[in-house]
Amino acid sequence: MEIIEKIFLENKAWANGKVQFDKLYFEKLSLMQEPDFLWIGCSDSRVPANVITNTEPGEMFVHRNIANVVDINDINLMSVVQYAVEYLKVKHIIVCGHYGCGGIKAALTNNSFGNMDVWLNKIKEIAKQHDIELALCKSEEEKAKKMVEFNVIAGVEKLKTVEIIKNSTIRLHGWVYDLHDGILNKLV
Ligand code: CO
């Protein structure tokens, strides 16, 4: 069997399981979505928002990009934020980074990654603002860890400047996920 076919088999098994548990599961879910959370995370396959938070379809509105970058000039992200705030009326926005983030590590090098450089430059800008603290790190690993944290905090700070968030009671959170133990840690 081709590996892609397995996805359809697994999907059928999953859907059947849901219906067995609750006959109207999909009918109810199709009527509306009322998620309390907007998750802004990394695209990394090891950090799937719903899986690591044990949340179900309908519970979390999700935006993921390389290294969970928050750029208020990013029309993709900002459309997600606007929709989540104005229409879905989420109560919390979570920016979640993760240690061992390849995007962060790449941005800390001087290597070129082709078209991705435009994206990585957004992270390099944040790194520049913390150059003294980063220079004090004793290893590349420590530097990367610090940068993951700075990037999350910068993301939350940028969201604070967004008008529709300022005018709301939405709570902002900055978290880091640790690939080594599967645990989320609060930063801000
Ligand atoms: Co990552």
Coordinates of all heavy atoms in Angstrom, one line a residue, residues 91-170:
K91 N -11.1 33.9 23.3 CA -10.8 34.5 24.6 C -9.3 34.6 24.8 O -8.9 35.4 25.6 CB -11.5 33.8 25.7 CG -13.0 33.7 25.6 CD -13.6 32.9 26.7 CE -15.2 32.9 26.6 NZ -15.7 32.1 25.5
H92 N -8.6 33.7 24.2 CA -7.1 33.7 24.4 C -6.4 33.6 23.1 O -6.8 32.8 22.2 CB -6.8 32.5 25.3 CG -7.4 32.4 26.6 ND1 -6.9 33.0 27.7 CD2 -8.6 31.9 27.0 CE1 -7.7 32.8 28.8 NE2 -8.8 32.2 28.3
I93 N -5.3 34.2 23.0 CA -4.3 34.0 21.9 C -3.0 33.5 22.4 O -2.4 34.1 23.3 CB -4.1 35.3 21.1 CG1 -5.5 35.8 20.5 CG2 -3.1 35.0 19.9 CD1 -5.3 37.1 19.7
I94 N -2.6 32.4 21.9 CA -1.4 31.7 22.4 C -0.3 31.8 21.3 O -0.6 31.3 20.2 CB -1.7 30.3 22.8 CG1 -2.7 30.1 23.8 CG2 -0.4 29.5 23.2 CD1 -3.6 28.9 23.7
V95 N 0.8 32.4 21.6 CA 2.0 32.2 20.7 C 2.9 31.1 21.3 O 3.3 31.2 22.5 CB 2.8 33.6 20.6 CG1 4.0 33.4 19.7 CG2 1.9 34.7 20.1
C96 N 3.0 30.1 20.6 CA 3.8 29.0 21.1 C 5.0 28.6 20.3 O 4.9 28.2 19.1 CB 2.9 27.7 21.3 SG 3.8 26.4 22.1
G97 N 6.2 28.8 20.8 CA 7.4 28.4 20.2 C 7.8 27.0 20.7 O 7.2 26.4 21.5
H98 N 8.9 26.5 20.2 CA 9.4 25.2 20.7 C 11.0 25.2 20.6 O 11.5 25.7 19.7 CB 8.8 24.0 20.0 CG 9.3 23.9 18.5 ND1 10.2 23.0 18.1 CD2 8.9 24.6 17.4 CE1 10.4 23.2 16.8 NE2 9.7 24.1 16.4
Y99 N 11.5 24.6 21.7 CA 13.0 24.4 21.7 C 13.3 23.4 20.6 O 12.5 22.6 20.2 CB 13.5 23.9 23.0 CG 13.2 24.8 24.2 CD1 12.5 24.4 25.3 CD2 13.7 26.1 24.1 CE1 12.3 25.3 26.4 CE2 13.4 27.0 25.2 CZ 12.7 26.6 26.3 OH 12.5 27.5 27.3
G100 N 14.5 23.6 20.0 CA 14.9 22.8 18.9 C 14.3 23.2 17.5 O 14.2 22.4 16.6
C101 N 13.8 24.5 17.5 CA 13.2 25.0 16.3 C 14.2 25.2 15.2 O 15.1 26.0 15.3 CB 12.4 26.3 16.6 SG 11.5 26.9 15.2
G102 N 14.0 24.5 14.0 CA 14.9 24.6 12.9 C 14.9 26.0 12.3 O 16.0 26.5 11.8
G103 N 13.8 26.7 12.3 CA 13.7 28.0 11.7 C 14.5 29.0 12.5 O 15.2 29.9 12.0
I104 N 14.5 28.9 13.9 CA 15.2 29.7 14.7 C 16.7 29.5 14.5 O 17.5 30.4 14.4 CB 14.8 29.5 16.2 CG1 13.4 29.9 16.5 CG2 15.8 30.2 17.2 CD1 13.1 31.4 16.5
K105 N 17.1 28.2 14.5 CA 18.5 27.8 14.3 C 19.0 28.4 13.0 O 20.1 28.9 12.9 CB 18.7 26.3 14.3 CG 18.6 25.7 15.7 CD 18.9 24.2 15.7 CE 18.5 23.5 17.0 NZ 18.4 22.1 16.8
A106 N 18.2 28.2 11.9 CA 18.6 28.7 10.6 C 18.8 30.2 10.7 O 19.8 30.8 10.1 CB 17.6 28.4 9.6
A107 N 18.0 30.9 11.4 CA 18.1 32.4 11.4 C 19.3 32.9 12.2 O 19.8 34.0 12.0 CB 16.8 33.0 12.0
L108 N 19.8 32.0 13.0 CA 21.0 32.4 13.8 C 22.3 32.2 13.0 O 23.4 32.5 13.5 CB 21.0 31.6 15.1 CG 20.0 32.0 16.2 CD1 20.0 31.1 17.4 CD2 20.3 33.5 16.6
T109 N 22.2 31.6 11.9 CA 23.4 31.4 11.0 C 23.5 32.5 10.0 O 22.6 33.3 9.8 CB 23.4 30.0 10.3 OG1 22.4 30.1 9.2 CG2 23.0 28.9 11.2
N110 N 24.7 32.5 9.3 CA 24.8 33.5 8.2 C 24.6 32.8 6.9 O 24.8 33.4 5.8 CB 26.2 34.1 8.3 CG 26.4 35.0 9.5 OD1 25.5 35.8 9.9 ND2 27.5 34.9 10.2
N111 N 24.1 31.6 6.9 CA 23.9 30.9 5.7 C 22.6 31.4 4.9 O 21.8 32.0 5.5 CB 23.6 29.4 6.0 CG 24.7 28.7 6.7 OD1 25.9 29.2 6.7 ND2 24.5 27.6 7.4
S112 N 22.7 31.2 3.6 CA 21.5 31.6 2.8 C 20.6 30.4 2.6 O 21.1 29.3 2.3 CB 22.0 32.3 1.5 OG 20.8 32.5 0.7
F113 N 19.3 30.6 2.7 CA 18.4 29.5 2.4 C 17.4 29.9 1.3 O 16.2 29.5 1.4 CB 17.6 29.2 3.7 CG 18.5 28.7 4.9 CD1 19.1 29.6 5.7 CD2 18.7 27.4 5.0 CE1 19.9 29.2 6.8 CE2 19.5 26.9 6.0 CZ 20.1 27.8 6.9
G114 N 17.9 30.6 0.3 CA 17.1 31.0 -0.8 C 15.9 31.9 -0.5 O 16.1 32.8 0.3
N115 N 14.8 31.5 -1.0 CA 13.6 32.4 -0.8 C 13.2 32.5 0.7 O 12.5 33.4 1.1 CB 12.4 31.8 -1.5 CG 12.5 32.0 -3.0 OD1 13.1 32.9 -3.5 ND2 11.9 31.1 -3.8
M116 N 13.6 31.5 1.5 CA 13.2 31.5 2.9 C 13.9 32.6 3.7 O 13.5 33.0 4.8 CB 13.6 30.2 3.5 CG 12.4 29.3 3.7 SD 12.9 27.6 4.3 CE 14.1 28.0 5.5
D117 N 15.0 33.2 3.0 CA 15.7 34.3 3.7 C 14.8 35.5 4.1 O 15.0 36.1 5.2 CB 16.9 34.8 2.9 CG 18.0 33.8 2.8 OD1 18.0 32.8 3.7 OD2 18.9 33.9 1.9
V118 N 13.9 35.8 3.3 CA 12.9 36.9 3.5 C 12.2 36.6 4.9 O 12.0 37.5 5.7 CB 11.9 37.1 2.4 CG1 11.0 38.2 2.7 CG2 12.7 37.3 1.1
W119 N 11.8 35.4 5.0 CA 11.1 35.0 6.2 C 12.0 35.0 7.4 O 11.7 35.6 8.5 CB 10.5 33.6 6.1 CG 9.5 33.3 7.2 CD1 9.8 32.4 8.2 CD2 8.2 33.8 7.3 NE1 8.7 32.4 9.0 CE2 7.7 33.2 8.5 CE3 7.4 34.7 6.6 CZ2 6.4 33.5 9.0 CZ3 6.2 35.0 7.1 CH2 5.7 34.4 8.3
L120 N 13.2 34.4 7.3 CA 14.2 34.3 8.4 C 14.7 35.7 8.8 O 15.0 35.9 10.0 CB 15.3 33.4 8.0 CG 15.0 32.0 7.6 CD1 16.2 31.2 7.2 CD2 14.3 31.3 8.8
N121 N 14.6 36.7 7.9 CA 15.1 38.0 8.3 C 14.2 38.6 9.4 O 14.7 39.4 10.2 CB 15.0 38.9 7.0 CG 16.3 38.8 6.2 OD1 17.3 38.3 6.7 ND2 16.2 39.2 5.0
K122 N 13.0 38.2 9.4 CA 12.1 38.7 10.5 C 12.6 38.2 11.9 O 12.5 38.9 12.9 CB 10.6 38.1 10.3 CG 10.0 38.6 9.0 CD 8.7 37.8 8.8 CE 8.2 37.8 7.4 NZ 7.3 38.9 7.1
I123 N 13.2 37.0 11.9 CA 13.7 36.5 13.1 C 15.1 37.1 13.4 O 15.4 37.4 14.6 CB 13.9 34.9 13.0 CG1 12.5 34.3 12.7 CG2 14.4 34.3 14.4 CD1 12.7 32.8 12.3
K124 N 15.8 37.3 12.3 CA 17.1 38.0 12.5 C 17.0 39.4 13.1 O 17.8 39.8 13.9 CB 17.9 38.1 11.2 CG 18.4 36.8 10.7 CD 19.1 37.0 9.3 CE 19.5 35.7 8.6 NZ 20.7 35.1 9.1
E125 N 15.9 40.1 12.8 CA 15.6 41.4 13.3 C 15.4 41.3 14.8 O 15.9 42.2 15.6 CB 14.4 42.0 12.7 CG 14.6 42.7 11.4 CD 13.4 43.1 10.6 OE1 12.4 43.4 11.3 OE2 13.4 43.1 9.4
I126 N 14.7 40.3 15.3 CA 14.5 40.1 16.7 C 15.8 39.8 17.4 O 16.1 40.3 18.5 CB 13.4 39.0 17.0 CG1 12.1 39.5 16.3 CG2 13.3 38.8 18.5 CD1 11.1 38.4 16.2
A127 N 16.6 38.9 16.7 CA 17.9 38.5 17.3 C 18.8 39.8 17.5 O 19.5 39.9 18.5 CB 18.6 37.5 16.4
K128 N 18.7 40.7 16.5 CA 19.6 41.9 16.6 C 19.2 42.7 17.8 O 20.1 43.3 18.5 CB 19.3 42.8 15.3 CG 20.5 42.9 14.4 CD 20.2 43.9 13.3 CE 20.3 43.1 12.0 NZ 19.6 43.8 10.9
Q129 N 17.9 42.7 18.2 CA 17.5 43.5 19.4 C 18.0 42.9 20.7 O 18.0 43.5 21.7 CB 16.0 43.6 19.4 CG 15.4 44.5 18.3 CD 14.0 44.2 18.1 OE1 13.3 43.5 18.9 NE2 13.5 44.7 17.0
H130 N 18.5 41.6 20.6 CA 19.0 40.9 21.8 C 20.4 40.5 21.6 O 20.8 39.5 22.2 CB 18.1 39.7 22.0 CG 16.7 40.0 22.4 ND1 16.3 40.4 23.6 CD2 15.6 40.1 21.6 CE1 15.0 40.7 23.6 NE2 14.5 40.5 22.4
D131 N 21.2 41.2 20.8 CA 22.5 40.7 20.4 C 23.4 40.6 21.6 O 24.2 39.6 21.7 CB 23.2 41.6 19.3 CG 23.2 43.1 19.7 OD1 22.5 43.4 20.7 OD2 23.8 43.8 18.9
I132 N 23.3 41.5 22.6 CA 24.2 41.4 23.8 C 23.9 40.1 24.6 O 24.8 39.4 24.9 CB 24.0 42.7 24.7 CG1 24.5 43.9 23.8 CG2 24.9 42.6 25.9 CD1 24.1 45.2 24.4
E133 N 22.6 39.9 24.9 CA 22.2 38.7 25.6 C 22.6 37.4 24.9 O 23.1 36.5 25.5 CB 20.7 38.7 25.9 CG 20.2 39.8 26.8 CD 19.0 40.4 26.4 OE1 19.0 41.2 25.3 OE2 17.9 40.2 27.0
L134 N 22.4 37.4 23.6 CA 22.7 36.2 22.8 C 24.2 36.0 22.8 O 24.7 34.8 22.8 CB 22.2 36.4 21.4 CG 20.6 36.3 21.3 CD1 20.2 36.6 19.8 CD2 20.1 34.9 21.7
A135 N 25.0 37.1 22.8 CA 26.5 36.9 22.7 C 27.0 36.3 24.0 O 28.1 35.7 24.1 CB 27.1 38.3 22.4
L136 N 26.2 36.5 25.1 CA 26.7 36.0 26.4 C 26.4 34.5 26.6 O 26.9 33.9 27.5 CB 25.9 36.7 27.5 CG 26.4 38.2 27.8 CD1 25.5 38.9 28.8 CD2 27.8 38.2 28.3
C137 N 25.7 33.9 25.7 CA 25.3 32.5 25.8 C 26.6 31.6 25.6 O 27.5 32.0 24.8 CB 24.3 32.1 24.7 SG 22.7 32.8 25.0
K138 N 26.6 30.5 26.4 CA 27.9 29.7 26.4 C 28.0 28.7 25.3 O 29.0 28.2 25.0 CB 28.0 29.0 27.8 CG 28.3 30.0 28.9 CD 28.4 29.3 30.2 CE 28.6 30.4 31.3 NZ 27.4 31.2 31.6
S139 N 26.8 28.4 24.7 CA 26.9 27.5 23.6 C 25.8 27.9 22.5 O 24.9 28.7 22.8 CB 26.5 26.1 24.1 OG 25.2 26.0 24.6
E140 N 25.9 27.2 21.3 CA 25.0 27.5 20.3 C 23.6 27.0 20.7 O 22.6 27.6 20.3 CB 25.4 26.8 19.0 CG 26.6 27.4 18.3 CD 26.4 28.9 18.0 OE1 25.4 29.2 17.3 OE2 27.2 29.7 18.4
E141 N 23.6 25.9 21.5 CA 22.3 25.4 21.9 C 21.6 26.4 22.9 O 20.4 26.6 22.7 CB 22.6 24.0 22.6 CG 21.3 23.2 22.7 CD 21.5 22.0 23.6 OE1 22.7 21.5 23.8 OE2 20.5 21.6 24.2
E142 N 22.4 26.9 23.8 CA 21.8 27.9 24.7 C 21.3 29.1 24.0 O 20.2 29.7 24.3 CB 22.9 28.3 25.7 CG 22.3 29.1 26.9 CD 23.4 29.7 27.8 OE1 24.5 29.1 27.9 OE2 23.1 30.7 28.4
K143 N 22.1 29.5 23.0 CA 21.7 30.7 22.2 C 20.4 30.4 21.4 O 19.5 31.3 21.4 CB 22.8 30.9 21.1 CG 22.8 32.3 20.5 CD 23.8 32.4 19.4 CE 25.0 33.3 19.8 NZ 25.9 33.5 18.6
A144 N 20.2 29.2 20.9 CA 19.0 28.9 20.1 C 17.8 28.9 21.1 O 16.7 29.3 20.7 CB 19.2 27.5 19.4
K145 N 18.0 28.3 22.3 CA 17.0 28.3 23.3 C 16.5 29.7 23.6 O 15.3 29.9 23.7 CB 17.4 27.5 24.5 CG 17.2 26.0 24.5 CD 17.6 25.4 25.8 CE 16.4 24.7 26.4 NZ 16.7 23.9 27.6
K146 N 17.5 30.5 23.9 CA 17.1 31.9 24.3 C 16.4 32.6 23.2 O 15.4 33.3 23.4 CB 18.4 32.7 24.6 CG 18.9 32.6 26.0 CD 18.3 33.7 26.8 CE 18.7 33.6 28.3 NZ 17.5 33.3 29.1
M147 N 16.8 32.3 21.9 CA 16.2 33.0 20.8 C 14.8 32.5 20.6 O 13.9 33.3 20.2 CB 17.1 32.7 19.5 CG 16.7 33.6 18.4 SD 16.6 35.4 18.8 CE 15.2 35.8 17.8
V148 N 14.5 31.2 20.8 CA 13.2 30.7 20.8 C 12.3 31.5 21.7 O 11.2 31.9 21.4 CB 13.1 29.2 21.1 CG1 11.7 28.7 21.5 CG2 13.7 28.4 20.0
E149 N 12.8 31.8 22.9 CA 12.0 32.5 24.0 C 11.9 34.0 23.5 O 10.8 34.5 23.6 CB 12.7 32.4 25.3 CG 12.7 31.0 25.8 CD 13.6 30.8 27.1 OE1 14.2 31.8 27.6 OE2 13.7 29.6 27.5
F150 N 12.9 34.6 23.1 CA 12.8 36.0 22.6 C 11.8 36.2 21.5 O 11.0 37.1 21.5 CB 14.2 36.5 22.1 CG 15.2 36.8 23.2 CD1 16.6 36.5 23.0 CD2 14.8 37.3 24.5 CE1 17.5 36.7 24.0 CE2 15.8 37.5 25.5 CZ 17.1 37.2 25.3
N151 N 11.8 35.2 20.6 CA 10.9 35.2 19.5 C 9.4 35.2 19.9 O 8.5 35.9 19.4 CB 11.2 34.1 18.5 CG 10.3 34.1 17.3 OD1 10.1 35.1 16.7 ND2 9.8 32.9 16.9
V152 N 9.1 34.3 20.9 CA 7.8 34.2 21.4 C 7.4 35.5 22.1 O 6.3 36.0 21.9 CB 7.7 33.0 22.4 CG1 6.4 33.1 23.2 CG2 7.8 31.7 21.7
I153 N 8.3 36.0 23.0 CA 7.9 37.2 23.7 C 7.7 38.4 22.7 O 6.8 39.2 22.9 CB 9.1 37.6 24.7 CG1 9.1 36.5 25.8 CG2 8.9 38.9 25.3 CD1 10.3 36.4 26.7
A154 N 8.6 38.5 21.7 CA 8.4 39.5 20.7 C 7.1 39.4 20.0 O 6.4 40.4 19.7 CB 9.5 39.4 19.7
G155 N 6.7 38.1 19.8 CA 5.4 37.9 19.1 C 4.2 38.4 19.9 O 3.3 39.1 19.4
V156 N 4.3 38.1 21.2 CA 3.2 38.6 22.1 C 3.2 40.1 22.2 O 2.1 40.8 22.2 CB 3.4 38.0 23.6 CG1 2.4 38.6 24.6 CG2 3.2 36.5 23.5
E157 N 4.4 40.7 22.3 CA 4.5 42.2 22.3 C 3.9 42.8 21.1 O 3.2 43.8 21.2 CB 6.0 42.6 22.5 CG 6.5 42.3 23.9 CD 5.7 43.0 25.0 OE1 5.4 44.2 24.9 OE2 5.5 42.3 26.0
K158 N 4.1 42.2 19.9 CA 3.6 42.8 18.7 C 2.1 42.7 18.7 O 1.4 43.6 18.2 CB 4.2 42.0 17.5 CG 5.6 42.5 17.2 CD 6.2 41.8 16.0 CE 7.7 42.0 15.9 NZ 8.4 41.0 15.1
L159 N 1.6 41.6 19.2 CA 0.1 41.4 19.2 C -0.6 42.5 20.1 O -1.7 42.9 19.8 CB -0.3 40.0 19.7 CG 0.0 38.8 18.7 CD1 -0.3 37.5 19.4 CD2 -0.8 39.0 17.4
K160 N 0.2 42.9 21.1 CA -0.4 43.9 22.1 C -0.6 45.2 21.3 O -1.4 46.0 21.8 CB 0.6 44.1 23.2 CG 0.5 43.1 24.3 CD 1.5 43.5 25.4 CE 1.6 42.4 26.4 NZ 2.8 42.6 27.4
T161 N 0.1 45.4 20.2 CA 0.0 46.7 19.5 C -1.2 46.7 18.5 O -1.5 47.7 17.9 CB 1.3 47.1 18.8 OG1 1.4 46.1 17.7 CG2 2.5 47.0 19.7
V162 N -1.8 45.5 18.3 CA -2.8 45.4 17.3 C -4.1 46.0 17.8 O -4.6 45.6 18.9 CB -3.0 43.9 16.9 CG1 -4.2 43.8 15.9 CG2 -1.8 43.4 16.3
E163 N -4.7 46.9 17.1 CA -5.9 47.7 17.6 C -7.0 46.8 18.1 O -7.5 47.0 19.2 CB -6.3 48.6 16.4 CG -6.8 50.0 16.9 CD -5.8 50.8 17.7 OE1 -4.6 50.8 17.4 OE2 -6.3 51.4 18.7
I164 N -7.4 45.8 17.3 CA -8.6 45.0 17.6 C -8.3 44.2 18.9 O -9.2 43.8 19.6 CB -9.1 44.1 16.5 CG1 -7.9 43.3 15.9 CG2 -9.8 44.9 15.5 CD1 -8.4 42.2 14.9
I165 N -7.1 43.9 19.2 CA -6.7 43.2 20.4 C -6.7 44.1 21.6 O -7.2 43.8 22.7 CB -5.4 42.4 20.3 CG1 -5.5 41.4 19.2 CG2 -4.9 41.8 21.6 CD1 -4.2 40.6 18.9
K166 N -6.1 45.3 21.3 CA -6.1 46.4 22.4 C -7.5 46.7 22.9 O -7.7 46.9 24.1 CB -5.5 47.7 21.8 CG -4.0 47.9 22.0 CD -3.7 49.4 21.9 CE -2.7 49.5 20.7 NZ -2.5 50.9 20.4
N167 N -8.4 46.7 22.0 CA -9.8 47.1 22.4 C -10.6 45.9 22.8 O -11.9 45.9 22.8 CB -10.5 47.7 21.2 CG -9.8 49.0 20.7 OD1 -9.2 49.7 21.5 ND2 -9.8 49.3 19.4
S168 N -10.0 44.8 23.2 CA -10.7 43.6 23.6 C -10.3 43.2 25.0 O -9.3 43.7 25.6 CB -10.5 42.5 22.6 OG -9.2 42.0 22.8
T169 N -10.9 42.1 25.5 CA -10.5 41.6 26.8 C -9.7 40.3 26.6 O -9.5 39.5 27.5 CB -11.7 41.3 27.7 OG1 -12.6 40.4 26.9 CG2 -12.5 42.5 28.1
I170 N -9.3 40.1 25.4 CA -8.5 38.9 25.0 C -7.2 38.8 25.8 O -6.5 39.8 26.0 CB -8.2 38.8 23.5 CG1 -9.5 38.6 22.7 CG2 -7.2 37.8 23.2 CD1 -9.4 38.8 21.3

